[in-house]
Amino acid sequence: MVELITPNWPAPAKVKAYTTTRCGGHSQSPYNGLNLADHVGDDTEAVIANRTELVETLNLPLEPIWLQQVHGTQVIAGYSKNRGCTADASFSTLPGQVCVVMTADCLPVLFCNRVGTCVAAVHAGWRGLAGGILEATLQRLNMPAENILVWLGPAIGPQAFEIGDEVYKAFVDFLPQAVDAFKPSRKGHWLADLYLLARQRLAHQGVTAIYGGDFCTYTDVERFYSYRRDKVTGRMASLIWLYNDSF
């Protein structure tokens, strides 16, 4: 049986959002469970079966708009014709178009507005965060920041995410208060808080209604895939779409 996480945020009823775990599914070791990625070496038929089970479990109106993620800052419109495009975020104002990103330590970020007329899904590892993927998404949504709600999904926690000086510098040079998101671990290395870095970048753009951010994919072995922990592993999916009665 597919195990899902439902975001705890005050999104309008017409906004539907979920994140998968690794529990359930058809993939065998080392992808054990509900691997939804077709680029990590898993058996193709198992991935197809996993994606089919996800669609059926959630009664999705359409096949999700799966992306070719590259740790960049490209944001595309969530149309079915854009399925398979190279991008790290998609947004939609149309009912039934399912925006989705896949992660296994990187941060999935879901957006909606307070009246439920737009949604977005973002893949934000440190490269994407530093490069401005959240800012690029807000630009495409093109509405006042106070109208935006954000949910931070399962990512590697601050006690497990060690990075080097170049990552530290990339964030602090842009936003000096980012120093609060780093703790020294050993010479030239830091423990980084992806959740806090995302909150800071969003707040810098005026977004303050931010929820979630209380998971750790690295330490929660039973529920989550983690690239840092396992190297060869599957991917979870975070999905969001606008619902109406015609679907």
Side-chain angles (χ1 to χ4, degrees):
M1 178 178 291
V2 174
E3 179 186 312
L4 300 164
I5 294 170
T6 303
N8 182 18
W9 62 339
K14 65 183 72 174
V15 173
K16 303 300 179 183
Y18 299 93
T19 290
T20 66
T21 68
R22 70 183 303 168
C23 302
H26 305 272
S27 294
Q28 303 301 309
S29 181
Y31 309 97
N32 304 63
L34 191 74
N35 168 46
L36 295 162
D38 60 4
H39 67 285
V40 296
D42 194 4
D43 177 72
T44 300
E45 294 303 315
V47 176
I48 292 172
N50 290 338
R51 289 186 175 188
T52 299
E53 185 172 2
L54 177 65
V55 170
E56 293 174 349
T57 298
L58 290 177
N59 192 27
L60 295 180
L62 295 168
E63 179 73 14
I65 302 161
W66 304 103
L67 304 174
Q68 297 297 318
Q69 299 169 192
V70 293
H71 298 276
T73 59
Q74 182 71 24
V75 183
I76 65 165
Y79 301 132
S80 295
K81 67 179 182 179
N82 287 337
R83 191 176 292 115
C85 283
T86 298
D88 284 270
S90 64
F91 71 97
S92 180
T93 58
L94 300 175
Q97 299 288 352
V98 183
C99 298
V100 60
V101 290
M102 291 183 290
T103 57
D105 283 339
C106 290
L107 175 62
V109 185
L110 301 181
F111 290 74
C112 73
N113 63 342
R114 294 183 185 277
V115 295
T117 57
C118 74
V119 294
V122 180
H123 164 243
W126 77 259
R127 289 182 180 85
L129 277 179
I133 186 68
L134 299 182
E135 293 87 343
T137 302
L138 288 168
Q139 186 174 17
R140 295 300 300 270
L141 295 179
N142 191 28
M143 63 183 59
E146 60 266 25
N147 292 346
I148 300 291
L149 304 176
V150 175
W151 184 73
L152 307 178
I156 190 169
Q159 75 280 15
F161 186 39
E162 188 178 57
I163 51 82
D165 283 335
E166 74 284 358
V167 179
Y168 174 92
K169 189 175 187 300
F171 284 98
V172 174
D173 284 355
F174 177 80
L175 205 62
Q177 59 263 43
V179 296
D180 296 335
F182 297 94
K183 293 182 179 179
S185 54
R186 53 193 172 96
K187 185 176 181 180
H189 290 78
W190 308 77
L191 291 175
D193 188 337
L194 270 180
Y195 291 123
L196 180 54
L197 289 168
R199 289 177 183 275
Q200 290 174 335
R201 301 285 292 232
L202 289 164
H204 189 61
Q205 298 297 313
V207 179
T208 57
I210 307 168
Y211 303 86
D214 49 2
F215 305 92
C216 180
T217 50
Y218 186 94
T219 56
D220 196 339
V221 179
E222 296 300 317
R223 281 205 299 173
F224 300 124
Y225 295 116
S226 169
Y227 179 79
R228 281 243 172 168
R229 184 186 63 229
D230 300 324
K231 301 305 180 189
V232 178
T233 192
R235 300 291 187 272
M236 290 86 66
S238 294
L239 314 95
I240 189 166
W241 70 98
L242 297 170
Y243 170 84
N244 70 21
D245 293 337
S246 64
F247 288 97

